[in-house]
């Protein structure tokens, strides 16, 4: 008989892992924690199927557990318990420090609660679940212990098995269909059983158990020893009690023997805010006893609050504890940090008035003890250089030691890292995509890379703890980034600066909410119209195209906020973008040979030309999918074989050496002249010579729409010859995007410049015809 026998029949694989976990509690605590993690890994995967949830950006346990849709269904307390088991299992595999039997028993006790909750809520026999029971280590049969190396090999084995199983499923449509049918039946059985079950309470946990598992795990990850001298139950004097005595749950000490932080732990069912005043009183006592006021933490194991009242900040929610070095720096900054009001801005990095204004606006926000700022700046107006100058200023003023710059593409990360190297080389920029173990003061990363690094733990703890970065910068902040990767912004206890090119009145409510701002009122704004009027950018012009693909007639402004969120997230995701009129009709338009040939002929005829009109200027064609891009490329090579296959290239995430193609595209007079892109060139690519944009797909995200238009806004001196600068760029919109986003761009008949060969031929043959717009399809 074992603790988990009640799931043996319905969930045999989950039972087997749980049974193995409890069998190692007495003989091998490390293996017990490892198998406990394996149990929740299997359980969460099964719950995703029962809940019918879409998988997030990754299928690892951390991503699945912390995905917003799963947290919404499971709840914060249960998510915290699963995360605690996950972390204990990770430590068992990756850390050599011994694990106590008491620690393993606590992990299994939490696992027992998780299994009870899951079986009571999502099984077909909830009334057989012993909701009032507690984990009893005496019921478990003992197993022979495993070595640390055997545990690590088992982790690799299970990982390989899971990946192989997913690959097999993906390759078998018949298996997927059968599995979906079985799941639909199982969901209906679970629904019926849940409706008929007897409602019962779940057991609470004691304060000691909360402390031993949830809080101690987080302390160890930050390099603290919760069992060290004078850490637990430290006596203080001067409390407002008859005896004047008290005991702080934890005190974290500096190398100088003075307190750095005090932690008050409440029971899990209580709000951590109930311990705020008690923690403040402990801090008062420690300050009176030692002469230094510690940073204050209060927690219930699930939620953690940090309060540095001596620095003037109100309490804020955090995801864990600072390291000793980070706490010492926080206390030092109470005196050493300089005012930003008079801190100079390096005008060798930025010199334009609006960039300096934006930095000063952020300064005012941070000086006012607010920790988040949003800058709305038109694409091409120098957002990256603005934040480089901001980082430089904050570092020199003692506000920031390390900063993190996040972008959504590898190419953008490389571009940002190079910009920091050019303008702020003393920050020793680190590209975390390619340099996982390098050290510096500025780190640049994609969102998935950083999420993976956050979850990494080794013998020294976490490389990137909650207090590692003082400033996080989000390149192109929009709702879908937060929906997919919001865990990063919640995890780091840092100042946060968001950048976006979306006009301030079109930035969505959730983005303003993330930055704690009123709708329509960013920290600072510099729109495209102002940039064009002041001569810093060039405007778009729409080419008259006649008949195009007709959308439903609904405009973005007419959508509800939930509808906008749905479309915005899909447009920025990896899933095929839906369309209002049906995929079949859209695909008939996009994959029609005659359509594509005429779209390309229109571009080649009326697109802006360079080199005296002899060559089409740099052009980006925004395609709907990889297959669509390949179809466009094949039709171009068929219609214009004389270019030898090099004039137009597909540049997507699926193309090998795409970065090399981007570098070639950036060469002003080199091929390719036409880049056919699916998402990869929508953001961040900086090619001033781009003069033609072809929107050959429906766009649904307003932020993506403005990013795409931004590919053409940059100035380019002498593009058309000496003294003939770029003054605008053309937009060939074949899918009604301008109407959808209510953009009435100035019209253009396209290129009226004729090449020398065209002029010579026409003079010899007949009078030149008047230029005309592209023909209707």
């Amino acid at each position: 008989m074992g603790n988990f026998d009640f799931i043996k029949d319905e969930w045999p694989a989950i039972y087997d892992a749980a049974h193995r976990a409890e069998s190692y509690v007495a003989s091998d605590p490390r293996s017990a924690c490892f198998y406990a993690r394996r149990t929740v890994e299997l359980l969460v995967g099964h719950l995703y199927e029962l809940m019918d949830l879409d998988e997030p950006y990754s299928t690892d346990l951390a991503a699945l557990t912390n995905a917003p849709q799963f947290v919404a269904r499971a709840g914060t307390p249960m998510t915290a318990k699963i995360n605690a088991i996950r972390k204990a299992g990770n430590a068992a595999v990756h850390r050599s420090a011994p694990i106590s039997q008491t620690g393993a028993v606590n992990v299994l006790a939490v696992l027992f609660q998780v299994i009870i909750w899951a079986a009571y809520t999502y099984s077909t026999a909830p009334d057989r679940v012993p909701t009032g029971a507690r984990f009893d280590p005496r019921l478990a049969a003992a197993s022979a212990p495993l070595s640390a190396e055997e545990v690590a090999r088992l982790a690799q084995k299970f990982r390989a098995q899971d990946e192989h199983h997913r690959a097999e499923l993906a390759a078998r449509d018949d298996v997927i269909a059968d599995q979906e049918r079985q799941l639909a039946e199982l969901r209906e059985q679970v629904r019926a059983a849940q409706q008929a079950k007897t409602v019962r309470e779940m057991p609470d946990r004691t304060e000691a158990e909360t402390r031993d598992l949830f809080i101690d795990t987080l302390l160890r990850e930050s390099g603290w020893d919760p069992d060290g001298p004078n850490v637990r139950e430290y006596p203080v004097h001067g409390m407002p009690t008859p005896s004047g005595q008290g005991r702080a749950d934890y005190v974290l000490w500096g190398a100088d023997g003075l307190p750095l932080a005090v932690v008050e732990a409440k029971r899990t069912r209580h709000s951590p805010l109930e311990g705020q005043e008690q923690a403040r009183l402990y801090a008062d006592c420690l300050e009176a006893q030692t002469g230094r006021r510690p940073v204050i933490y209060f927690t219930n194991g699930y939620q953690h609050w940090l309060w540095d009242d001596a620095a003037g900040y109100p309490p804020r929610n955090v995801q864990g504890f600072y390291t000793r070095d980070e706490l010492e720096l926080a206390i030092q900054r109470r005196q050493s940090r300089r005012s930003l009001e008079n801190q100079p801005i390096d005008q060798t990095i930025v010199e334009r008035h609006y960039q300096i204004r934006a930095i000063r606006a952020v300064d005012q926000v941070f000086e006012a003890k607010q920790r988040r700022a949003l800058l709305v700046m038109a694409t091409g107006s120098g957002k990256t250089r603005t934040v480089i100058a901001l980082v430089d200023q904050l570092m020199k003023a003692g506000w920031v030691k390390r900063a993190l710059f996040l972008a959504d593409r590898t190419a953008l990360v490389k571009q940002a890292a190079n910009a920091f190297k050019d303008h702020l080389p003393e920050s020793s920029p680190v590209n975390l995509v390619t340099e996982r173990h390098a050290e510096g003061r500025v780190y640049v990363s994609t969102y998935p890379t950083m999420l993976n690094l956050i979850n990494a733990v080794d013998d020294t703890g976490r490389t990137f703890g909650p207090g590692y970065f003082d400033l996080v910068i989000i390149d192109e902040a929009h709702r879908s980034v937060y929906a997919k990767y919001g865990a990063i912004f919640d995890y780091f206890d840092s100042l946060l600066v968001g950048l976006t090119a979306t006009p301030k009145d079109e930035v969505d409510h959730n983005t303003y909410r993330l930055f704690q701002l009123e709708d329509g009122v960013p920290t600072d704004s510099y729109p495209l119209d102002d940039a064009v009027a002041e001569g810093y950018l060039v405007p778009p012009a729409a080419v008259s195209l006649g008949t195009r693909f007709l959308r439903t007639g609904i405009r973005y402004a007419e959508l509800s906020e939930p509808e906008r969120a749905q479309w915005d997230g899909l447009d920025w995701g990896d899933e095929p973008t839906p369309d209002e009129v049906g995929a079949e009709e859209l695909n008939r338009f996009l994959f029609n040979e005659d359509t594509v040939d005429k779209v390309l002929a229109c571009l080649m005829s009326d697109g802006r030309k360079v080199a005296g009109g002899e060559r089409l200027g740099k052009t980006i064609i925004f395609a709907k999918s990889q297959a669509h891009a390949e179809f466009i490329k094949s039709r171009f090579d068929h219609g214009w074989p004389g270019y030898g296959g090099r004039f137009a290239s597909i540049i997507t995430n699926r193309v090998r050496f795409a970065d090399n193609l981007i570098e070639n595209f950036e060469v002003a007079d080199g091929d390719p002249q036409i880049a056919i892109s699916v998402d990869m060139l929508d953001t961040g690519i900086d090619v001033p010579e781009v003069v033609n944009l072809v929107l050959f797909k429906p766009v649904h995200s307003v932020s993506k729409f403005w990013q795409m238009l931004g590919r053409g806004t940059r100035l380019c001196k002498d593009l058309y010859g000496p003294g003939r600068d770029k003054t605008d760029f053309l937009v060939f919109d074949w899918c009604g995007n301008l109407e959808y986003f209510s953009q009435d761009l100035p019209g253009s008949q396209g290129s009226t410049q004729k090449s020398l060969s065209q002029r010579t031929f026409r003079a010899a043959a007949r009078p030149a015809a008047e230029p005309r717009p592209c023909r209707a399809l």
Side-chain angles (χ1 to χ4, degrees):
M1 179 178 177
N3 288 278
F4 301 98
D5 287 357
F6 61 94
I7 62 168
K8 186 174 183 179
D9 294 333
E10 183 156 355
W11 296 343
I14 297 170
Y15 164 78
D16 183 63
H19 180 65
R20 285 176 180 270
E22 68 174 344
S23 73
Y24 285 113
V25 163
S27 62
D28 187 356
R30 183 181 303 278
S31 296
C33 293
F34 166 74
Y35 273 106
R37 186 196 186 283
R38 178 61 178 170
T39 304
V40 293
E41 193 168 42
L42 295 171
L43 176 66
V44 169
H46 186 57
L47 291 177
Y48 260 75
E49 294 176 338
L50 291 176
M51 295 175 180
D52 198 16
L53 300 178
D54 293 330
E55 290 181 345
Y57 69 96
S58 172
T59 56
D60 64 56
L61 182 57
L64 292 170
T65 304
N66 295 294
Q69 67 268 28
F70 183 80
V71 176
R73 297 287 292 274
T76 299
M78 198 54 58
T79 302
K81 291 176 182 179
I82 296 172
N83 275 324
I85 297 167
R86 173 179 62 82
K87 291 176 179 181
N90 289 346
V93 175
H94 300 295
R95 303 186 69 176
S96 59
I99 298 174
S100 69
Q101 182 179 350
T102 299
V105 169
N106 286 334
V107 170
L108 266 293
V110 174
L111 175 65
F112 187 67
Q113 286 201 332
V114 170
I115 295 292
I116 283 179
W117 162 79
Y120 181 66
T121 312
Y122 291 102
S123 77
T124 60
D127 287 331
R128 292 208 299 264
V129 177
T131 53
R134 299 181 67 86
F135 178 75
D136 186 352
R138 296 171 299 178
L139 296 179
S143 293
L146 302 174
S147 68
E149 291 76 14
E150 288 174 315
V151 171
R153 284 197 296 271
L154 275 172
Q156 292 178 339
K157 174 185 174 183
F158 288 143
R159 191 179 304 115
Q161 285 178 348
D162 292 344
E163 291 174 357
H164 179 69
H165 178 65
R166 281 192 292 269
E168 275 193 332
L169 281 179
R172 293 283 305 278
D173 292 339
D174 57 330
V175 174
I176 293 174
D178 186 57
Q179 187 181 52
E180 283 299 322
R181 179 187 57 77
Q182 294 178 24
L183 279 173
E185 294 176 357
L186 179 58
R187 291 180 192 126
E188 180 57 31
Q189 293 171 12
V190 169
R191 187 193 63 79
Q194 293 299 314
Q195 286 181 339
K197 75 181 180 183
T198 304
V199 177
R200 288 173 284 169
E201 289 292 321
M202 294 287 114
D204 192 7
R205 294 182 59 76
T206 67
E207 187 171 335
E209 288 174 321
T210 301
R211 180 184 307 152
D212 286 344
L213 182 58
F214 297 93
I215 300 174
D216 286 11
T217 297
L218 290 174
L219 286 170
R220 289 190 176 95
E221 286 181 354
S222 297
W224 297 101
D225 180 5
D227 298 314
N230 296 323
V231 174
R232 292 187 196 271
E233 301 292 338
Y234 184 77
V236 295
H237 314 288
M239 293 290 290
T241 62
S243 66
Q245 307 299 309
R247 286 187 176 273
D249 288 326
Y250 300 83
V251 177
L252 309 179
W253 301 89
D256 56 5
L258 298 177
L260 294 173
V262 61
V263 182
E264 170 60 18
K266 307 308 293 182
R267 295 183 66 167
T268 55
R269 190 164 286 190
H270 292 205
S271 167
L273 296 174
E274 295 177 18
Q276 179 178 346
E277 178 62 12
Q278 188 174 357
R280 185 190 68 80
L281 292 172
Y282 288 150
D284 289 346
C285 294
L286 288 166
E287 184 178 15
Q289 291 173 214
T290 66
R292 182 160 76 191
R293 186 168 190 79
V295 173
I296 299 168
Y297 285 95
F298 39 99
T299 173
N300 66 354
Y302 302 150
Q303 296 177 319
H304 321 282
W305 289 78
L306 181 154
W307 186 17
D308 191 2
D309 56 351
Y313 284 103
R316 59 184 182 267
N317 191 256
V318 294
Q319 298 295 308
F321 300 100
Y322 281 20
T323 66
R324 173 176 284 173
D325 289 345
E326 291 160 1
L327 283 171
E328 287 176 343
L329 181 58
I331 289 174
Q332 175 190 324
R333 281 183 178 147
R334 294 171 180 172
Q335 306 299 325
S336 65
R337 192 168 64 184
R338 294 190 291 276
S339 170
L340 297 175
E341 182 179 0
N342 300 316
Q343 185 67 30
I345 297 169
D346 189 342
Q347 296 195 24
T348 65
I349 303 176
V350 292
E351 56 184 10
R352 297 176 181 176
H353 71 92
Y354 61 86
Q355 294 172 316
I356 295 170
R357 184 190 69 202
I359 294 171
R360 290 300 181 196
V362 175
D363 290 345
Q364 292 175 11
V365 167
F366 291 166
E367 286 281 13
K369 306 301 181 185
Q370 300 171 39
R371 297 174 59 82
R372 300 190 170 192
L374 177 65
L375 299 179
V376 175
M377 300 176 70
T379 299
S381 60
K383 294 191 295 292
T384 303
R385 287 180 66 165
T386 299
V387 294
I388 291 173
L390 174 65
V391 168
D392 175 63
Q393 183 208 39
L394 293 173
M395 285 183 171
K396 289 175 179 175
W399 285 64
V400 168
K401 178 180 179 181
R402 288 182 291 255
L404 172 65
F405 185 100
L406 292 166
D408 64 350
R409 305 263 162 76
T410 301
L412 304 187
V413 167
K414 181 179 179 181
Q415 186 173 293
N418 288 337
F420 273 99
K421 289 175 183 176
D422 290 342
H423 301 293
L424 196 61
E426 59 270 31
S427 66
S428 303
V430 175
N431 182 343
L432 286 171
V433 176
T434 57
E435 308 168 276
R436 296 289 177 98
H437 303 292
E439 293 187 1
R441 297 193 67 188
V442 170
Y443 295 74
V444 187
S445 176
T446 61
Y447 298 102
T449 297
M450 179 46 62
L451 277 173
N452 290 333
L453 291 172
I454 284 174
N455 294 324
V457 180
D458 58 23
D459 267 347
T460 61
R462 288 188 181 275
T463 302
F464 299 109
Y468 192 83
F469 294 110
D470 304 300
L471 172 68
V472 172
I473 301 161
I474 310 171
D475 184 32
E476 192 48 47
H478 50 81
R479 85 173 98 214
S480 61
V481 166
Y482 182 71
K484 290 178 71 175
Y485 306 115
I488 298 175
F489 320 135
D490 295 334
Y491 177 76
F492 288 117
D493 180 45
S494 69
L495 303 172
L496 185 67
V497 173
L499 307 173
T500 183
T502 308
K504 65 178 184 178
D505 293 331
E506 298 182 39
V507 173
D508 64 275
H509 168 74
N510 289 337
T511 298
Y512 280 117
R513 183 178 179 183
L514 169 63
F515 291 94
Q516 300 165 359
L517 294 166
E518 179 184 344
D519 287 4
V521 187
T523 305
D524 194 70
S525 174
Y526 188 66
L528 176 60
D529 289 346
D530 289 359
V532 170
E534 294 181 354
Y536 292 120
L537 296 175
V538 299
V543 178
S544 176
L545 299 177
T547 305
R548 294 145 298 160
F549 178 73
L550 298 177
R551 296 169 77 157
T552 59
I554 296 176
R555 295 182 179 230
Y556 185 82
E558 299 168 355
L559 298 175
S560 67
E561 190 64 28
E563 288 171 331
R564 292 186 188 184
Q566 177 187 8
W567 289 94
D568 204 38
L570 287 168
D571 220 7
W572 282 91
D574 299 325
E575 306 88 347
T577 304
D579 55 280
E580 311 95 317
V581 299
E584 184 177 348
E585 184 178 347
L586 176 63
N587 286 336
R588 278 201 303 268
F589 176 81
L590 297 179
F591 288 89
N592 180 281
E593 287 187 1
D594 186 56
T595 297
V596 175
D597 290 349
K598 288 180 178 177
V599 166
L600 293 172
C602 175
L603 170 66
M604 297 299 286
S605 169
D606 287 12
R608 288 278 188 256
K609 308 294 194 306
V610 295
E614 294 286 348
R615 188 173 74 248
L616 183 74
K618 291 286 183 178
T619 299
I620 301 176
I621 300 177
F622 298 104
K624 182 177 183 290
S625 63
Q626 180 72 23
H628 188 215
E630 292 172 359
F631 187 67
I632 295 169
K633 165 68 170 166
S634 69
R635 296 312 301 168
F636 183 88
D637 289 343
H638 174 80
W640 288 267
Y643 285 113
R646 295 173 59 87
F647 195 79
S649 292
I650 299 170
I651 303 179
T652 70
N653 290 313
R654 294 191 186 182
V655 173
R656 294 191 65 189
F657 306 110
D659 288 347
N660 187 60
L661 286 171
I662 291 174
E663 291 176 2
N664 293 338
F665 185 63
E666 291 171 343
V667 177
D669 56 354
D671 288 336
Q673 286 294 109
I674 301 174
I676 307 170
S677 170
V678 182
D679 295 334
M680 194 170 186
L681 301 186
D682 294 358
T683 60
I685 186 72
D686 185 0
V687 182
E689 293 81 10
V690 168
V691 286
N692 303 302
L693 299 179
V694 182
L695 308 186
F696 204 1
K697 67 173 182 179
V699 182
H700 303 279
S701 160
V702 66
S703 52
K704 172 162 280 195
F705 172 76
W706 284 104
Q707 280 289 326
M708 292 164 70
L709 286 193
R711 299 313 101 216
T713 58
R714 287 169 174 80
L715 302 174
C716 190
K717 190 173 180 60
D718 299 329
L719 178 63
Y720 301 111
R724 302 180 62 204
D725 302 340
K726 176 181 172 182
T727 58
D728 66 2
F729 63 97
L730 300 184
V731 178
F732 298 78
D733 177 21
W734 296 97
C735 294
N737 296 296
L738 295 176
E739 290 86 349
Y740 182 68
F741 292 107
S742 305
Q743 296 301 311
D744 185 17
L745 300 184
S748 172
Q749 296 298 308
S751 179
T752 59
Q753 181 180 12
K754 302 302 176 186
S755 68
L756 176 61
S757 58
Q758 285 177 312
R759 294 196 301 269
T760 302
F761 173 78
R762 289 184 182 278
R766 58 184 182 276
E770 290 297 317
R772 60 186 178 184
C774 295
R775 292 181 178 179
L777 298 181

